[in-house]
Amino acid sequence: MTTSTGGHDLDALYQEIILDHYKNPHHAGLRDPYEAEVHHVNPTCGDEVTLRVHLTDGPDGPVVQDVSYDAVGCSISQASTSVMADLVIGKPVEEALAIHQDFLTLMQGKGQVVPDEDVLEDGIAFAGVAKFPARVKCALLSWMAWKDATANVMEESA
Amino acid sequence: MTTSTGGHDLDALYQEIILDHYKNPHHAGLRDPYEAEVHHVNPTCGDEVTLRVHLTDGPDGPVVQDVSYDAVGCSISQASTSVMADLVIGKPVEEALAIHQDFLTLMQGKGQVVPDEDVLEDGIAFAGVAKFPARVKCALLSWMAWKDATANVMEESA
Amino acid sequence: MEGLLPDLEVVRKDFPILSRTLAGGQPLVYLDSANTSQKPQCVIDRMVDHLEHHNANVARAMHQLGAEASEAFEEARDTVASFIGAPSRDEVIFTKNASEALNLVANTLAWAEGDWSSRVGSLGAGDEVLITEMEHHSNIVPWQLLTQRTGATLRWFGLTDGGELDLSDLDSLITERTRVVSLTWVSNMLGTVNPVAEIARRAHEVGALVVVDASQAVPQMPVDVVASGADVLVFTGHKCVGPTGIGVLWGRREVLDQLPPFLGGGEMIETVRMEGSTYAGIPHKFEAGTPPIVEAVGLGAALEYLRDLGMDRVAAHEQAITRYALDGLATVPGLRVMGPTDPAVERGGAISFELDGVHPHDIAQVLDSRGVAVRAGHHCARPAHARFGVQSSTRMSSYLYTTPQEIDALVEALEYTRSYFRLGQ
Amino acid sequence: MEGLLPDLEVVRKDFPILSRTLAGGQPLVYLDSANTSQKPQCVIDRMVDHLEHHNANVARAMHQLGAEASEAFEEARDTVASFIGAPSRDEVIFTKNASEALNLVANTLAWAEGDWSSRVGSLGAGDEVLITEMEHHSNIVPWQLLTQRTGATLRWFGLTDGGELDLSDLDSLITERTRVVSLTWVSNMLGTVNPVAEIARRAHEVGALVVVDASQAVPQMPVDVVASGADVLVFTGHKCVGPTGIGVLWGRREVLDQLPPFLGGGEMIETVRMEGSTYAGIPHKFEAGTPPIVEAVGLGAALEYLRDLGMDRVAAHEQAITRYALDGLATVPGLRVMGPTDPAVERGGAISFELDGVHPHDIAQVLDSRGVAVRAGHHCARPAHARFGVQSSTRMSSYLYTTPQEIDALVEALEYTRSYFRLGQ
Ligand SMILES: Cc1ncc(COP(=O)(O)O)c(C=O)c1O
Ligand SMILES: Cc1ncc(COP(=O)(O)O)c(C=O)c1O
């Protein structure tokens, strides 16, 4: 019945890449300009993120010009926020949404999904998190916030 | 754990006296005059009784001049109403209340109490009912109604 | 006999209580399943395994036991969702019983806002709530409280002499003023099966919210919430071979999203500040506090058991036994069944009857002395009894473990009752 | 070590889950009992026996199984009444958990009538409800809903830096406007034991209703409802070695009689007519529908188990272990306990702490990898966390089965956590 894993897997969860992003988060802080700001909470533990997105027009549709944030949370949620910002900033929104979907699939795969390093880059370090159901929510918090904020901007401009 | 009893005790429950009162209830019907009327219900089964009391002044305090009633219910509740009316009509309220108490003690005694025939007369036939917890409520319905009605009159006149 | 569950004797072995003997060595003939059903060993075992090996609080716990308990609990939600064909697992709310589920809707509607454009809104004078005369008290009193508190009006469908809904004044009952229609799918007293989809269709034409009490339907027949037409549908665990302490409220997401919170507390929140709080999405919004965890696990096992038997076969068994019982009861002099008796009419397994000259209490007592367990009283359906001019009735109710021999035992015990009370032919 | 339960190893054998091993063969070190407690075999066995041999619906059934089930259910009510010193068994209401019990009071007060002359009345603008900043969300959100809905004002006691109620502004908080004071006896986050009797005395001077959340008190210490000064006191079964799905609301008869009904339905009625209904007396008035029967039976067995151990000794054990834990935690560099740490001050067994440089989630995760189960988050007490300027914390909570060796394992695991995250001395 159990799908959670024991001590020997701790290193699978806390990959060096994750701990590095945790100690030195990329793109942290709230910046101007932005078109949407959202606030997401993990009700179980109280982790929170305030996140802003700034989109600009590109040749093939909108582009993620900037993602800035203020987040309180555990190593997994903080590192995930940092990796997410790395992955989506500078990408066309459409491509960024596809990356979001890939990350979601990885996280919900209960450890059975093999991630594509070309797409997810540092994000592949989260493959181990998928084996810890209680932590999946941590890894997804800011991704969900980003998607929400982006959807808000797209709706406004639609 | 069980205190209910099986088929062999059916005759202990349905004493001839009870069946007789059931078939020919004494003092049935609603009559004038009366000082208080109450309506009591057994919420579990829906049995109901409407009951009136008529008290008069006696040398040593009030006397139960009449008890009249309209009752719908099972053999136990109908017979108990009939026996109750027999027992209290004509008695000083104080004595009637003492009889009420004796009947209550018998009913709540789980079959361990030996009734006093001099006091309870036909009421002793209910000794077997005390062994059937689900039926105790039936036997007490009209006794409770009578007590309630009597208390109402006493309060009014106090 | 056609329609009976194959391997009925094997099925009966799944239920430990059925081999119990009563006072005087009488075997148990349990014909009170509409009141509560018996539990198969697999349900009990699953609960024991949970308590002995996986017990922890759910959602809140980050440790292995917590993950196991949460998984077991949420798996039960998946099982319920698939059992009733819920479009989304999030639409399945665990309550303590069917009564709480019905009250949840009625109680929160007192505080709801909106214009009813999507079947939720605020209620006031001029608005109507429509129920039926055959409802269980748990689907009457909540609406009485709601209408008393909001100034809305309570109306109801009457019943025909045959125990069916009197739909002749449908057009005057379902009108533009109707905001809520709440009705039972299968009557727990009369056994009547109501045309819920048809009534839901009519109710939706006027924009009313449709609440279906499926407490007696889910145990007995295949239920698909979407096909039922309901906006909200409730049932209770203990009547479908699950434990007490658990009920289910299914509701369309749009409806549940609009209803204000019911109980406030742990797990139903998003953020709590002393000055005010925001609430979680469904299902958590309606599950304040520690939920009935081991009970959900037990209910999950119960519905798996029913699924494995096959609800079509459970329904066929129920119908076969009910038909056999109606035939048997017809042989008892002075016995009158309330509710549908026409073999052509689909009906549920609850059969309430009167026996001339003996009060239901006395019938139940004599039956009990022979090990036959039935219910006597108004079965929490006093208005339906009043409709038929009786104070109370005797009810037999069968289930998937009931045998024709048990029905024979009932009929014999009724004959014995008549002779015990010296009734002539 | 003084104060420990004699025969602790024997007591532990009563709890099957305690001999479980986790992933990697780790033994379980369960330090999450404030979240939910583990269950002794006798509780599980009593529930199984009930389900296998005595299952039936209560109150409504007239047959032998029904009589047995009713008797077992009502015996549980007697056990609860005597365990908490209730003046009358009728004042003991079974709910589904503590959260429902608190909501029952807050929800019905929205509809109550009267002038508060006997501590129940109608609420409106100008009236105040007083809680505290250390409440569990289940004792905050219901009062937010009530005050929002009635126009009354919600106020609260703040906390001192030491984690106690700040009583310095007691006189400005408890005033003629105060209608309800609801507070926890023992904090589930800080472990603080509040002076409920003293606060009740003050509240009664202004005629306010006093509600005590004893969810963390009943498991840990002898509780006498009369001595507590409460008008209403609630607790939850699963935290005192009982099952989920059952909670208790005790209330003084006078108060319960005045509160309007909460859930409407089966068993809470006297007479139902379509036009209107009358209600049963307590306790049934507040127990609509099929109650949590097997859960009540389990709770009865649980309280008998605690009674047989002796609540004085359970309390002494909790205090000894808590003291030992506070001493052990004090040796961990960078660890800060929130709540009372002074050995002279009585406190409950929940100890929440921060560890510099590691987030509570990460602490709980590393601890879990060593079999040590604690809780990380806000423990449904977000305002109290905000008060201490933190988002979340790690909480260990012991119970009667906790050993000093388990505390040692916790402290070692915390040291390991520090080294895992490469924190220096
Ligand atoms: C102090 C306190 N109050 C209330 C509750 C709520 O109890 P339940 O979740 O069983 O309703 C809890 C536990 O979660 C608690 O610790
Ligand atoms: C038709 C119907 N509705 C509602 C209920 C209430 O179910 P519960 O008592 O489990 O809340 C019942 C059973 O008692 C029922 O038969």
Side-chain angles (χ1 to χ4, degrees):
Chain A
M1 193 152 255
T2 170
T3 57
S4 79
T5 44
H8 47 297
D9 276 332
L10 214 50
D11 295 342
L13 179 67
Y14 294 116
Q15 304 266 339
E16 280 302 330
I17 305 180
I18 291 182
L19 296 181
D20 286 348
H21 276 275
Y22 177 41
K23 296 227 158 108
N24 300 298
H26 305 177
H27 311 284
L30 292 170
R31 285 180 297 276
D32 288 320
Y34 64 95
E35 290 78 44
E37 177 180 297
V38 296
H39 182 74
H40 276 216
V41 180
N42 180 339
T44 322
C45 61
D47 284 359
E48 298 188 24
V49 61
T50 305
L51 184 141
R52 295 177 178 175
V53 292
H54 173 38
L55 305 188
T56 52
D57 281 333
D60 313 308
V63 170
V64 184
Q65 193 65 32
D66 193 19
V67 172
S68 66
Y69 60 86
D70 181 22
V72 197
C74 64
S75 58
I76 305 296
S77 82
Q78 298 290 87
S80 168
T81 310
S82 168
V83 167
M84 183 268 296
D86 272 354
L87 281 169
V88 300
I89 290 174
K91 298 255 168 51
V93 166
E94 204 170 317
E95 190 184 338
L97 283 172
I99 298 172
H100 172 278
Q101 188 52 53
D102 274 18
F103 190 76
L104 200 66
T105 307
L106 176 64
M107 285 300 98
Q108 294 174 341
K110 303 197 171 178
Q112 308 302 313
V113 175
V114 181
D116 180 348
E117 182 160 8
D118 289 344
V119 177
L120 291 180
E121 302 177 13
D122 278 6
I124 63 165
F126 289 81
V129 176
K131 281 186 247 161
F132 294 79
R135 304 308 291 277
V136 168
K137 274 190 268 184
C138 311
L140 289 178
L141 182 65
S142 57
W143 285 85
M144 294 305 189
W146 172 76
K147 193 185 174 189
D148 188 16
T150 304
N152 288 355
V153 185
M154 307 287 278
E155 262 170 42
E156 295 268 300
S157 64
Chain B
M1 195 153 252
T2 170
T3 57
S4 81
T5 45
H8 48 296
D9 275 333
L10 214 49
D11 295 342
L13 179 67
Y14 294 116
Q15 303 265 339
E16 282 301 332
I17 304 180
I18 291 182
L19 296 180
D20 287 348
H21 277 274
Y22 177 40
K23 297 228 156 109
N24 301 299
H26 305 176
H27 311 284
L30 291 170
R31 288 179 296 276
D32 288 322
Y34 63 95
E35 291 78 43
E37 176 180 299
V38 296
H39 182 75
H40 276 216
V41 179
N42 180 339
T44 320
C45 61
D47 283 0
E48 301 187 23
V49 61
T50 306
L51 185 142
R52 295 177 177 174
V53 292
H54 173 39
L55 305 189
T56 51
D57 282 332
D60 314 309
V63 170
V64 183
Q65 194 64 33
D66 192 19
V67 172
S68 66
Y69 59 85
D70 181 22
V72 196
C74 63
S75 59
I76 304 296
S77 81
Q78 299 290 86
S80 168
T81 310
S82 168
V83 167
M84 183 268 297
D86 271 354
L87 280 169
V88 301
I89 291 174
K91 299 254 168 54
V93 167
E94 204 170 318
E95 191 184 336
L97 283 171
I99 297 172
H100 172 277
Q101 186 53 52
D102 273 17
F103 190 76
L104 200 66
T105 307
L106 175 63
M107 284 299 99
Q108 295 173 340
K110 302 194 171 181
Q112 308 302 312
V113 175
V114 181
D116 181 347
E117 183 161 6
D118 289 345
V119 177
L120 292 180
E121 303 177 13
D122 278 5
I124 62 165
F126 290 81
V129 177
K131 281 187 245 160
F132 294 78
R135 304 308 291 276
V136 169
K137 273 190 271 185
C138 310
L140 289 177
L141 182 65
S142 57
W143 286 85
M144 293 305 189
W146 171 77
K147 194 186 174 189
D148 188 17
T150 305
N152 288 355
V153 186
M154 306 288 277
E155 262 170 40
E156 294 269 299
S157 64
Chain C
M1 203 169 130
E2 219 178 322
L4 291 192
L5 273 182
D7 298 327
L8 184 54
E9 280 313 313
V10 181
V11 168
R12 283 178 66 83
K13 292 236 160 54
D14 291 338
F15 293 80
I17 207 168
L18 296 183
S19 50
R20 223 200 96 159
T21 52
L22 301 172
Q26 302 275 2
L28 170 65
V29 176
Y30 187 73
L31 294 172
D32 197 18
S33 288
N35 201 353
T36 199
S37 65
Q38 296 303 342
K39 323 301 172 204
Q41 195 69 55
C42 62
V43 168
I44 301 171
D45 288 351
R46 189 84 71 87
M47 293 172 72
V48 169
D49 178 60
H50 185 87
L51 291 171
E52 289 186 352
H53 302 114
H54 310 289
N55 175 66
N57 213 324
V58 295
R60 321 163 165 189
M62 308 220 40
H63 43 68
Q64 293 172 60
L65 285 186
E68 291 170 23
S70 301
E71 197 179 326
F73 178 68
E74 294 300 339
E75 261 174 29
R77 200 189 302 278
D78 289 329
T79 304
V80 172
S82 96
F83 193 80
I84 60 173
S88 161
R89 68 185 309 279
D90 293 343
E91 295 174 344
V92 172
I93 317 283
F94 287 123
T95 63
K96 71 175 173 180
N97 53 25
S99 302
E100 187 194 11
L102 291 164
N103 278 277
L104 189 160
V105 182
N107 192 296
T108 57
L109 273 176
W111 308 109
E113 289 171 3
D115 60 2
W116 295 94
S117 59
S118 47
R119 299 185 200 156
V120 174
S122 71
L123 274 178
D127 293 323
E128 294 179 359
V129 173
L130 179 60
I131 61 175
T132 90
E133 211 175 355
M134 69 166 78
E135 298 310 310
H136 187 280
H137 293 164
S138 293
N139 201 25
I140 299 175
V141 183
W143 305 110
Q144 290 179 337
L145 290 170
L146 173 65
T147 49
Q148 282 158 17
R149 288 167 177 179
T150 57
T153 303
L154 186 66
R155 305 188 69 191
W156 52 88
F157 284 104
L159 306 182
T160 67
D161 290 343
E164 314 218 310
L165 286 187
D166 179 358
L167 299 176
S168 63
D169 45 5
L170 188 90
D171 291 328
S172 67
L173 282 171
I174 299 187
T175 71
E176 295 296 322
R177 289 185 301 281
T178 312
R179 296 308 195 182
V180 182
V181 177
S182 186
L183 83 167
T184 193
W185 194 329
V186 179
S187 160
N188 70 314
M189 173 200 170
L190 303 164
T192 319
V193 179
N194 288 321
V196 288
E198 171 59 14
I199 291 174
R201 200 182 57 71
R202 295 295 297 264
H204 287 158
E205 280 171 15
V206 300
L209 180 78
V210 175
V211 179
V212 171
D213 177 358
S215 300
Q216 298 289 346
V218 169
Q220 296 187 30
M221 56 199 233
V223 163
D224 180 300
V225 291
V226 176
S228 78
D231 295 302
V232 172
L233 180 145
V234 312
F235 68 98
T236 196
H238 67 94
K239 292 193 207 280
C240 36
V241 309
T244 51
I246 185 128
V248 170
L249 180 152
W250 167 83
R252 288 195 307 108
R253 178 186 294 275
E254 207 189 352
V255 166
L256 297 181
D257 280 346
Q258 286 183 86
L259 287 175
F262 178 45
L263 308 180
E267 301 317 322
M268 59 70 79
I269 54 92
E270 185 185 61
T271 297
V272 175
R273 289 170 306 113
M274 296 306 283
E275 295 78 16
S277 302
T278 55
Y279 309 117
I282 60 168
H284 306 295
K285 173 179 167 189
F286 292 113
E287 294 183 349
T290 302
I293 303 169
V294 72
E295 293 76 13
V297 169
L299 177 61
L303 298 185
E304 283 171 25
Y305 179 82
L306 292 179
R307 181 195 64 201
D308 293 349
L309 282 180
M311 281 310 292
D312 285 328
R313 290 152 92 198
V314 169
H317 181 85
E318 190 76 47
Q319 278 152 35
I321 288 286
T322 303
R323 172 75 2 234
Y324 186 73
L326 285 169
D327 291 346
L329 293 173
T331 67
V332 181
L335 189 145
R336 177 171 76 106
V337 167
M338 287 169 280
T341 51
D342 181 345
V345 172
E346 189 196 359
R347 89 189 302 292
I351 307 180
S352 297
F353 57 86
E354 283 195 292
L355 185 58
D356 275 353
V358 200
H359 187 278
H361 265 192
D362 295 316
I363 299 173
Q365 191 78 56
V366 179
L367 264 48
D368 185 49
S369 74
R370 300 173 61 106
V372 179
V374 297
R375 186 166 170 189
H378 50 52
H379 327 314
C380 300
R382 202 176 171 285
H385 279 81
R387 162 64 180 81
F388 288 95
V390 300
Q391 208 75 20
S392 58
S393 66
T394 308
R395 181 183 74 183
M396 68 137 278
S397 52
S398 50
Y399 202 23
L400 56 89
Y401 36 68
T402 305
T403 66
Q405 293 73 38
E406 290 183 305
I407 302 297
D408 296 341
L410 167 71
V411 172
E412 275 161 40
L414 286 168
E415 296 286 6
Y416 175 76
T417 306
R418 295 190 75 253
S419 70
Y420 191 87
F421 285 100
R422 293 169 218 160
L423 302 173
Q425 294 306 312
Chain D
M1 204 169 130
E2 220 177 323
L4 292 192
L5 273 182
D7 298 326
L8 185 51
E9 281 312 315
V10 181
V11 168
R12 284 178 65 83
K13 293 235 159 55
D14 292 338
F15 294 80
I17 208 169
L18 297 182
S19 50
R20 224 201 96 159
T21 52
L22 302 172
Q26 300 276 2
L28 170 66
V29 176
Y30 187 74
L31 294 172
D32 197 19
S33 289
N35 201 354
T36 200
S37 65
Q38 297 303 342
K39 322 300 171 206
Q41 195 69 54
C42 61
V43 168
I44 300 170
D45 288 352
R46 188 83 71 87
M47 292 172 72
V48 169
D49 178 59
H50 185 86
L51 291 171
E52 289 185 352
H53 302 113
H54 310 288
N55 176 66
N57 213 325
V58 296
R60 320 163 167 189
M62 307 219 43
H63 43 69
Q64 294 173 60
L65 285 186
E68 291 171 24
S70 301
E71 196 179 326
F73 179 69
E74 294 300 339
E75 260 175 29
R77 200 188 303 278
D78 290 329
T79 304
V80 172
S82 96
F83 193 80
I84 60 173
S88 160
R89 68 185 307 281
D90 294 342
E91 295 173 343
V92 172
I93 317 283
F94 286 122
T95 62
K96 70 174 173 181
N97 54 25
S99 302
E100 187 194 10
L102 291 163
N103 277 277
L104 189 160
V105 183
N107 193 295
T108 58
L109 274 175
W111 308 108
E113 289 171 3
D115 60 2
W116 295 94
S117 59
S118 47
R119 299 185 200 157
V120 173
S122 71
L123 273 178
D127 292 325
E128 293 179 358
V129 173
L130 180 60
I131 61 174
T132 90
E133 211 174 356
M134 70 166 79
E135 297 311 310
H136 188 279
H137 294 164
S138 293
N139 200 24
I140 298 176
V141 183
W143 305 110
Q144 290 179 336
L145 290 170
L146 173 65
T147 49
Q148 284 158 18
R149 288 167 177 180
T150 57
T153 303
L154 185 66
R155 303 188 68 190
W156 53 88
F157 284 105
L159 307 183
T160 67
D161 291 341
E164 315 217 309
L165 285 188
D166 180 358
L167 300 176
S168 63
D169 45 6
L170 187 89
D171 291 329
S172 67
L173 282 172
I174 299 187
T175 71
E176 295 297 321
R177 288 185 301 280
T178 312
R179 296 307 194 184
V180 181
V181 177
S182 185
L183 82 167
T184 193
W185 194 329
V186 178
S187 161
N188 70 314
M189 173 200 169
L190 303 163
T192 318
V193 179
N194 289 321
V196 288
E198 171 59 15
I199 291 174
R201 199 181 56 72
R202 295 294 297 265
H204 286 156
E205 280 172 15
V206 298
L209 179 78
V210 175
V211 180
V212 171
D213 176 358
S215 300
Q216 298 288 345
V218 168
Q220 297 187 30
M221 57 200 232
V223 162
D224 180 299
V225 292
V226 176
S228 78
D231 295 301
V232 172
L233 180 143
V234 311
F235 68 98
T236 197
H238 67 95
K239 294 192 206 278
C240 36
V241 309
T244 50
I246 185 129
V248 170
L249 180 151
W250 167 83
R252 287 194 307 109
R253 178 186 294 275
E254 207 190 352
V255 167
L256 297 181
D257 280 345
Q258 286 182 87
L259 287 175
F262 177 44
L263 308 180
E267 300 318 320
M268 59 73 76
I269 54 92
E270 187 186 59
T271 297
V272 175
R273 289 170 305 114
M274 294 307 283
E275 296 76 17
S277 302
T278 55
Y279 309 117
I282 60 169
H284 306 295
K285 174 179 167 188
F286 292 112
E287 293 183 351
T290 302
I293 303 169
V294 70
E295 292 75 13
V297 169
L299 178 61
L303 298 185
E304 282 171 26
Y305 180 83
L306 292 179
R307 181 196 65 201
D308 293 348
L309 281 179
M311 281 310 292
D312 286 328
R313 289 153 91 198
V314 168
H317 180 84
E318 191 75 48
Q319 278 151 36
I321 288 284
T322 303
R323 173 75 3 234
Y324 186 73
L326 286 169
D327 291 345
L329 292 174
T331 67
V332 180
L335 189 147
R336 177 170 76 106
V337 167
M338 287 169 280
T341 51
D342 181 345
V345 173
E346 189 196 358
R347 89 189 299 294
I351 307 181
S352 297
F353 55 85
E354 282 195 292
L355 185 58
D356 275 352
V358 200
H359 187 279
H361 265 191
D362 296 316
I363 298 173
Q365 191 78 58
V366 179
L367 263 49
D368 184 49
S369 75
R370 300 175 61 108
V372 179
V374 297
R375 185 167 171 192
H378 51 50
H379 327 315
C380 300
R382 200 176 171 284
H385 279 80
R387 162 63 180 81
F388 287 95
V390 299
Q391 207 75 19
S392 59
S393 66
T394 308
R395 181 183 74 182
M396 68 137 277
S397 53
S398 50
Y399 202 24
L400 56 89
Y401 36 68
T402 305
T403 65
Q405 292 74 37
E406 290 184 303
I407 302 298
D408 295 341
L410 167 71
V411 172
E412 275 161 39
L414 286 168
E415 295 286 5
Y416 174 75
T417 307
R418 296 192 73 254
S419 69
Y420 190 86
F421 285 99
R422 292 171 219 157
L423 302 172
Q425 295 304 311

